[in-house]
Amino acid sequence: MNDTAARTTPGHDDTAPSPRRRPGAGLAVLLSAVALLFGLGPAAEADSTAGGDVHVAQTLGARELTVVLRRITGVPGPLHVDVITRAGTAAGRLTLAVVPTGVSTSAPAASASGTTVDTAVITLGSRPGTFSAVLDVTQVGPWELSLGDGRRTARIPFVVPKQTASPAETAAYAGFSGAGVLVLATVLVAVRVRRVWWTLLPAGGLVACLTVAVTGALLSSRLPLPPSQGDDVDATVDGVSDPYAYVGRQTRDYSRPPATLLLSSSTDRAGEVAELRLALSDASTGLPLDDVVVHDGALLHLLVIGPSGRLWHLHPIRTGAGEFEVPLALPEAGHYAVSTEFARRGGGVQQLRSATGIDAVPGSGARTTSGDAPAQAGTGARTVAGVDVRLTASSLVAGKAAVLTARVGETATLQPWLGMIGHLVVVGPLSPKAPVGTATQGAQVWAHAHSMGALPDGTHDMSDMSGMEGMDRMDSMSGLTSVNGDSKADETVAAYGPDVSFVYTFPAAGHYRIWIQAERDDTILTVPYLLQVADTPARNP
């Protein structure tokens, strides 16, 4: 026993333990407990408002662009915007601006709505690439990014999130902080006061703080997250600032009515460029749709099929609430069938066909055909834009799921487009000899399917193939591997394919026109085929 341990206090029994040793032993236990509990804290941490990058395809004039809004980590802070171009994109200048658009009960936030906060200029090069700009955002809530080429201006809505802690997390952090203070208080009392019971006061508070902290830490991983602003509810500045205070209905609790599509064209003369305007309104109220959200990498997908079978897959720019526009060259006279696909907050994904389409009359610059390669009859090999493509099908029987696999090139150099490796458009049944645009207008089936999510090594996820029969539209089955936190690979990653597979069930026998789309060498390839689907064999009684 050392000298310190052998000392005794006058008036006390030599065999009794020293009062100053007992708090020291308890302190070691308390410090160990606090260290253990602090180590458990991060596991319960959750951020309901954090999100990944936002990718939005935009057909801005003759340019097919992908605009990427990188995640914002703090406000006020920078918004990084990337514009990805493809082969054939013209060089030029784009003007960017950010404007807050949310409503708020706060006077400063409300007064800032509609006021341009920052601007920037991007100079596009003549070669495909990524061109960037940085703009400042000053508050959380709904915003718009405007992107203009001097003639047209696209307005892309987005939400600036706020990293908030749940009430349970707040209680856990406060409890741990209080426990840390009371540990020091307990040590101070134990050292300066000879009466042991005095240490019970801060020690009791320490136990209470630890109880609150542990309870909050346990509950923080089990309590439901607040509604996501911009997804589950219409975003407001106040809602984003304090999502846990929201008490209204969420979009999952109801369904907004279908939308109505009105199509107008600036010209109907073949050989000219028509400015298509699409107006989306609520079928119940008649008000313009201001709740269109990014779906499959775009606010609005526009599919146009021309008289001789050419497919346009465009992404009209949003110019205002429910208002979209896009230029479309009409190379030949005849009928152009038009279909749109978009997602509405609280209304789900909707596919609307124009009841009229576009009837182009002969003009001075019209051609007899679109000039594209005609659809190949049956599966097999063909060459499109110098790339060899081979299509195989597991079966082409009505009512039976078919696996269509297109080998695009011979190397794994395909690039994701709209978040997918491949796209499939199916129209039919129709007469193989009828003008394609006219036949498409009255076709029973107009489907838009996505690839099964090819992995970088060329394999495919086949785990979700069950239950696909009878669906006119199929979502991506596995998507792409995340390589940037919550964000998926974009067009800058050329590491997929060469096989692109789709699962689709043809609902009836007959001839179907299909178009397979994939991106390679910064170019969107569109490969048409004409397939004959056999009738379902009759079963023997």
Side-chain angles (χ1 to χ4, degrees):
M1 182 179 294
N2 57 34
D3 293 341
T4 303
R7 290 197 187 103
T8 60
T9 302
H12 287 74
D13 188 353
D14 290 348
T15 60
S18 170
R20 295 188 180 183
R21 293 178 58 207
R22 296 173 63 186
L27 176 61
V29 176
L30 289 173
L31 290 176
S32 300
V34 171
L36 177 62
L37 291 173
F38 268 117
L40 295 176
E45 184 175 342
D47 180 14
S48 64
T49 59
D53 302 338
V54 178
H55 297 68
V56 186
Q58 296 282 271
T59 305
L60 186 64
R63 298 184 176 101
E64 183 66 28
L65 309 172
T66 298
V67 182
V68 185
L69 286 71
R70 301 299 180 184
R71 74 184 69 191
I72 299 172
T73 57
V75 176
L79 168 65
H80 295 266
V81 179
D82 293 337
V83 177
I84 302 175
T85 62
R86 295 177 177 82
T89 300
R93 290 163 55 91
L94 300 179
T95 302
L96 284 70
V98 285
V99 179
T101 58
V103 297
S104 174
T105 57
S106 169
S111 62
S113 181
T115 303
T116 300
V117 172
D118 197 10
T119 60
V121 174
I122 290 180
T123 302
L124 303 179
S126 57
R127 295 183 178 181
T130 301
F131 304 88
S132 304
V134 179
L135 302 100
D136 290 330
V137 292
T138 55
Q139 67 181 40
V140 299
W143 287 69
E144 275 188 0
L145 170 70
S146 65
L147 180 73
D149 62 357
R151 181 178 177 184
R152 303 173 180 86
T153 300
R155 303 187 185 280
I156 303 173
F158 66 100
V159 177
V160 176
K162 179 182 180 181
Q163 296 183 354
T164 57
S166 68
E169 289 176 313
T170 302
Y173 297 146
F176 283 130
S177 300
V181 174
L182 289 173
V183 164
L184 299 178
T186 302
V187 173
L188 182 63
V189 171
V191 170
R192 293 186 173 274
V193 178
R194 295 179 180 274
R195 300 180 185 276
V196 177
W197 63 270
W198 279 99
T199 60
L200 297 178
L201 296 176
L206 175 61
V207 172
C209 287
L210 291 177
T211 301
V212 171
V214 171
T215 303
L218 294 176
L219 290 178
S220 63
S221 60
R222 292 168 173 80
L223 292 177
L225 294 174
S228 175
Q229 296 286 320
D231 292 326
D232 298 328
V233 297
D234 296 319
T236 64
V237 176
D238 298 337
V240 175
S241 299
D242 188 6
Y244 286 94
Y246 182 82
V247 294
R249 298 176 65 194
Q250 301 183 32
T251 54
R252 67 170 67 100
D253 300 328
Y254 64 91
S255 178
R256 289 176 174 169
T260 299
L261 169 66
L262 293 180
L263 171 68
S264 61
S265 174
S266 62
T267 181
D268 60 355
R269 297 184 62 83
E272 298 180 3
V273 176
E275 293 290 339
L276 301 186
R277 292 179 175 83
L278 303 101
L280 298 177
S281 59
D282 186 287
S284 176
T285 64
L287 297 176
L289 291 193
D290 203 17
D291 53 8
V292 176
V293 297
V294 175
H295 159 65
D296 289 342
L299 290 169
L300 184 71
H301 299 264
L302 178 68
L303 299 177
V304 180
I305 297 178
S308 60
R310 178 177 178 179
L311 170 72
W312 287 265
H313 186 169
L314 306 174
H315 305 95
I317 61 173
R318 174 182 175 272
T319 58
E323 298 290 336
F324 296 83
E325 66 178 42
V326 64
L328 175 67
L330 305 175
E332 57 182 318
H335 187 78
Y336 293 76
V338 178
S339 175
T340 62
E341 183 178 312
F342 59 93
R344 185 180 182 189
R345 186 183 307 113
V349 178
Q350 301 185 28
Q351 187 181 65
L352 298 181
R353 283 200 241 178
S354 170
T356 59
I358 303 171
D359 287 306
V361 299
S364 59
R367 300 198 301 261
T368 56
T369 65
S370 65
D372 290 354
Q376 174 170 308
T379 59
R382 65 175 306 171
T383 301
V384 175
V387 179
D388 294 330
V389 180
R390 176 179 292 276
L391 176 66
T392 59
S394 61
S395 65
L396 291 175
V397 178
K400 183 179 180 180
V403 178
L404 306 173
T405 300
R407 167 156 288 196
V408 184
E410 297 296 334
T411 58
T413 54
L414 297 184
Q415 301 160 264
W417 183 46
L418 305 173
M420 313 292 172
I421 299 302
H423 298 258
L424 172 68
V425 176
V426 181
V427 172
L430 41 72
S431 170
K433 297 181 180 180
V436 183
T438 303
T440 298
Q441 185 69 44
Q444 292 180 308
V445 176
W446 188 328
H448 179 194
H450 292 145
S451 64
M452 296 190 300
L455 300 177
D457 60 357
T459 61
H460 299 86
D461 181 1
M462 306 288 285
S463 60
D464 290 333
M465 288 181 58
S466 61
M468 301 306 297
E469 296 186 4
M471 293 181 63
D472 280 351
R473 185 186 176 281
M474 178 184 69
D475 288 331
S476 172
M477 298 179 67
S478 64
L480 302 176
T481 305
S482 174
V483 296
N484 185 23
D486 293 330
S487 302
K488 299 177 181 178
D490 56 28
E491 295 92 318
T492 60
V493 181
Y496 298 89
D499 290 343
V500 183
S501 294
F502 308 86
V503 173
Y504 185 75
T505 300
F506 295 92
H511 287 87
Y512 288 82
R513 291 188 180 271
I514 72 169
W515 294 263
I516 295 173
Q517 291 189 303
E519 182 171 356
R520 188 175 187 268
D521 296 330
D522 300 305
T523 301
I524 305 300
L525 302 176
T526 301
V527 189
Y529 283 91
L530 176 64
L531 303 181
Q532 184 173 5
V533 177
D535 200 357
T536 305
R539 296 183 179 180
N540 295 325

